[in-house]
Amino acid sequence: MKSSKKIICQNKKAHHEYFIEETYESGIVLVGTEIKSIRFHGCSLNDSYILIRNDEAYIIGMNIAPFFNGNIFNHEPLRTRKLLLHKKEIRKLKQKIQEKGFTIVCTKVYLK
């Protein structure tokens, strides 16, 4: 069975500014109205990067616009979001960052 991917946004500058050595697929922990906002407005990956802290991966600078039908429980657009990766993958990425001075960037967001 083929899984369909609906691409929401891409970071086209990442392919021009960085050499992409490896790619990983991860989930993002979203709260409240964020998924609705992603489905309607999309998101922006401009100036976003991934930080590894306490053996957990986080995406910094990803902008998800507030949901237009949201209320007082609407989300913060630029909040730090946790990425869902295996511990083995996180350790490998952490090691590369420390040894070679690599940067981890998000290249695309899609619904699966």
Side-chain angles (χ1 to χ4, degrees):
M1 186 174 190
K2 196 180 223 184
S3 66
S4 62
K5 295 179 183 179
K6 181 182 176 187
I7 296 178
I8 303 298
C9 65
Q10 291 183 328
N11 188 354
K12 294 178 183 175
K13 288 181 6 182
H15 291 283
H16 295 288
E17 295 177 1
Y18 302 99
F19 173 72
I20 309 295
E21 185 173 291
E22 290 183 59
T23 58
Y24 292 87
E25 182 179 60
S26 74
I28 304 174
V29 176
L30 300 174
V31 295
T33 56
E34 287 179 330
I35 188 65
K36 291 178 182 179
S37 183
I38 285 175
R39 287 183 195 273
F40 288 108
H41 298 106
C43 61
S44 173
L45 294 173
N46 295 341
D47 301 325
S48 67
Y49 61 96
I50 296 169
L51 178 71
I52 296 177
R53 185 180 338 139
N54 299 328
D55 291 332
E56 293 180 336
Y58 297 93
I59 186 163
I60 312 290
M62 178 180 173
N63 186 1
I64 299 177
F67 187 55
F68 61 92
N69 283 339
N71 53 17
I72 59 169
F73 301 109
N74 228 343
H75 63 275
E76 181 69 31
L78 289 172
R79 76 176 187 89
T80 302
R81 294 167 180 90
K82 185 176 178 180
L83 296 177
L84 303 173
L85 286 165
H86 292 282
K87 289 286 184 188
K88 185 177 176 182
E89 292 173 333
I90 293 173
R91 285 189 198 116
K92 184 177 178 182
L93 290 170
K94 187 176 180 179
Q95 184 181 19
K96 282 196 172 190
I97 290 172
Q98 292 172 347
E99 287 179 4
K100 300 180 183 177
F102 281 25
T103 301
I104 307 172
V105 293
C106 184
T107 56
K108 69 177 89 169
V109 173
Y110 56 87
L111 297 175
K112 192 171 177 183

